[in-house]
Amino acid sequence: WCRTKKESIRLLKGLFSKNHSALLDWGARVVVSRSFADFTPQATFDIKKCDLHRLEEGPPVKAELTREQGLQYYRTMQTVRRMELKADQLYKQKIIRGFCHLYDGQEACAAGIEAAINPSDHLITAYRAHGYTYTRGVSVKEILAELTGRRGGVAKGKGGSMHMYAPHFYGGNGIVGAQVPLGAGIALACQYQGNNQVCVTLYGDGAANQGQLFESYNMAALWKLPCIFICENNKYGMGTSVERAAASTDYYKRGDFIPGLRVDGMDVLCVREAAQFAADHCRAGKGPIIMELQTYRYHGHSMSDPGVSYRTREEIQEVRSKSDPISMLKERMLSHNMASVEEFKEIDIEIRKQVEDATQFATSDPEPPLEELCNHIFSNNPLLEVRGTNPWSKLKSVS
């Protein structure tokens, strides 16, 4: 019996040492599956009522959120935040040069809009475009490589911060307000093709006083184009506050004859519900609609603007502490037992690694060679010759 007992113990020890990691892995999976089962799968939240213009009723004042949606929105916003902070670091190291307008603070706008529209819908924005480039499907690696001017960038290193594109995403436009008539034109194409798609046309409060916006409003209203005009009002056009720049800061009423909404742009659920309402309005054939998203940028207008000469550090800190879009979503989910602190930490670690890996690529990938300078000028099949800096200098263009 003793011999058998000793053999049994020895046998068990051997089995345990061989399968220790497998047992631990199995145990971890059991714990995780149990903890997931304990989370609330769906919850309803009160959201801020939108101000309305020429509308009898607006978006709902309650928003449903599933656990999966919440984690996806958190991941999207946190990725954009980390990517922009990394861009800030690379710019200060002089690895990124030229214009660079960062989006941190405004993440709920991009995440909320993308959650409300279809991938086949269209979007065009101004030069603060990194967030929308990501939500439209471009990887962090391609965005950072574009910022550093490398071949692996989304525009092959030749576009930079303000000129990134993807299917159904038309940039990234460097001229203030110029994207608005282009957006109306994309909406005209949607109407002409009868594909039930909409175009989201974004601009800032700084562009809102441009004449070309009102020409676009007029044409869109006359032809009932499926265009959602969205003013991202981050309170400052460069270094000028909206109160000093505009006689009327009710940007959602600026269309006059076009219905409008004013939305809390720091709440991803508010933005999602309002954008869904606006998209339904356009798809129903009612013509264009204007949305004003009240938001805030933490950085200056661009990397050359410290951002504290026309506003106080205390003002920025107050917005961060009371209205940060990422913190707001996280607290909602934690208070309703939709996720755990540990889970958010794991997501944060994953995102940091993703951004670090992308940075490694963006700083080691080669720059585009001179012979590629003129490629993709035209959508041409045959080879084109392009004049260089003098009549004797010829460059080749292929697409």
Side-chain angles (χ1 to χ4, degrees), residues 88-103:
D88 169 271
Q89 182 185 334
L90 292 171
Y91 197 94
K92 286 170 179 170
Q93 292 171 352
K94 297 187 177 181
I95 296 170
I96 295 173
R97 309 301 291 262
F99 293 106
C100 187
H101 306 81
L102 300 184
Y103 198 68

Side-chain angles (χ1 to χ4, degrees), residues 71-241:
L71 291 174
Q72 179 57 48
Y73 302 161
Y74 179 84
R75 190 182 291 275
T76 297
M77 293 194 291
Q78 190 70 287
T79 301
V80 173
R81 176 73 55 89
R82 286 286 150 208
M83 180 176 72
E84 295 297 66
L85 293 177
K86 179 56 70 174
D88 169 271
Q89 182 185 334
L90 292 171
Y91 197 94
K92 286 170 179 170
Q93 292 171 352
K94 297 187 177 181
I95 296 170
I96 295 173
R97 309 301 291 262
F99 293 106
C100 187
H101 306 81
L102 300 184
Y103 198 68
D104 51 321
Q106 301 183 207
E107 295 91 350
C109 300
I113 290 168
E114 193 60 42
I117 62 174
N118 303 321
S120 57
D121 288 321
H122 308 267
L123 190 144
I124 187 168
T125 188
Y127 39 75
R128 199 178 303 280
H130 307 162
Y132 290 102
T133 308
Y134 177 72
T135 56
R136 288 268 85 186
V138 178
S139 68
V140 176
K141 183 172 84 167
E142 289 176 291
I143 294 169
L144 289 180
E146 189 58 43
L147 289 173
T148 57
R150 308 304 171 106
R151 288 180 77 174
V154 64
K156 303 190 184 300
K158 296 187 288 184
S161 173
M162 302 191 292
H163 305 289
M164 301 186 191
Y165 310 93
H168 307 291
F169 175 58
Y170 304 83
N173 288 268
I175 306 297
V176 174
Q179 72 278 7
V180 178
L182 293 176
I186 296 164
L188 173 61
C190 293
Q191 185 190 68
Y192 185 79
Q193 292 172 5
N195 54 26
N196 202 34
Q197 294 169 1
V198 302
C199 182
V200 176
T201 302
L202 293 127
Y203 55 95
D205 53 275
N209 301 314
Q210 290 250 332
Q212 57 187 329
L213 268 74
F214 297 92
E215 296 173 43
S216 304
Y217 292 164
N218 186 61
M219 189 178 289
L222 278 172
W223 294 347
K224 292 194 180 312
L225 300 182
C227 191
I228 307 171
F229 294 105
I230 300 183
C231 175
E232 288 184 285
N233 176 8
N234 61 22
K235 310 290 190 290
Y236 299 93
M238 296 188 70
T240 306
S241 68

